[in-house]
Amino acid sequence: MRPGVAPRTIDAMTVHDIPVLVVGAGPAGLAAATELARHDVPFLLVERRTTLSSHPRATVLSLRSMELVRAWGLEADIRARSVDVDWTMLESETLADAASGTAIAVGYPNAEQSRMVSPTAPACVAQDDVEPLLLERLRAAPHARVELGTELTGIFAGPAGAVPTCATCARARCARCTPATLWRPTAHEARSAARSASR
Ligand SMILES: Cc1cc2nc3c(=O)[nH]c(=O)nc-3n(C[C@H](O)[C@H](O)[C@H](O)COP(=O)(O)OP(=O)(O)OC[C@H]3O[C@@H](n4cnc5c(N)ncnc54)[C@H](O)[C@@H]3O)c2cc1C
């Protein structure tokens, strides 16, 4: 846990029947969890931060991402948070020269091109606008359990297979108290507990 953050306790009796653990409430974890919710698959989503990041970071939802968003019934909400842009980048020596910069296509189809292949189109929307929307949706999902301020710290390989151990779980390393299946959305994190424990 991060210094100053009080550990939370996951009640052992309520988690051992949850088939999927989602680690991390970034775009990958939130999208995975939203897809699980869409198919009524129960899951536990743990996020070590107590709040979502307020940094904008990624600013585009690609055409395929928007197709997923549409399937989740969130297209109108995302559009309401997005800005209308030309899908081009400007190359220039300095930011002050941007107006006379060279326009470069950034690889996203425009609205007209999108219409030929898809019912939706890419959206220019900041990550810190998308994540709260997905989290709100997950909190309202019937089979979902979302625990912020909860960090996965290891995985215990027991007779029932690999099960995660959570620093905040009252019975860490007890196979009965943890989900049996690990979903690992933050696999790119070199120091991720989930990644190192599953090597
Ligand atoms: C400054 C900055 C600018 C960026 N700009 C752009 C951009 O312009 N365009 C673009 O496409 N992308 C951009 N990115 C990249 C984009 O933000 C990432 O690709 C995206 O956030 C990755 O999503 P993710 O869900 O895989 O991981 P993350 O967003 O990193 O989410 C992982 C989550 O898992 C949590 N977590 C990790 N380990 C544990 C654990 N053991 N237990 C519980 N929780 C855990 C973390 O706290 C985190 O919230 C930027 C990133 C940064 C930092």
Side-chain angles (χ1 to χ4, degrees), residues 92-136:
S92 63
E93 286 282 321
T94 69
L95 200 55
D97 298 330
S100 56
T102 309
I104 304 169
V106 288
Y108 298 105
N110 61 29
E112 194 183 333
Q113 292 165 334
S114 298
R115 264 196 293 277
M116 289 190 264
V117 293
S118 176
T120 185
C124 181
V125 56
Q127 193 169 326
D128 64 326
D129 275 333
V130 175
E131 290 176 349
L133 190 62
L134 296 181
L135 186 63
E136 187 187 327

Side-chain angles (χ1 to χ4, degrees), residues 7-84:
R8 295 183 56 146
T9 300
I10 295 179
D11 178 357
M13 300 312 291
T14 62
V15 297
H16 73 269
D17 283 337
I18 298 173
V20 183
L21 171 65
V22 180
V23 183
L30 290 168
T34 305
E35 194 62 24
L36 290 168
R38 180 184 168 206
H39 293 284
D40 289 328
V41 178
F43 63 86
L44 168 64
L45 169 63
V46 293
E47 165 55 55
R48 66 183 168 201
R49 299 172 60 102
T50 51
T51 57
L52 296 179
S53 170
S54 59
H55 296 138
R57 296 174 291 163
T59 49
V60 176
L61 285 181
S62 69
L63 181 60
R64 181 59 192 136
S65 295
M66 283 304 291
E67 287 172 345
L68 290 173
V69 163
R70 183 172 179 271
W72 299 335
L74 291 171
E75 184 178 16
D77 295 300
I78 291 290
R79 292 272 172 230
R81 289 163 171 76
S82 68
V83 288
D84 206 12

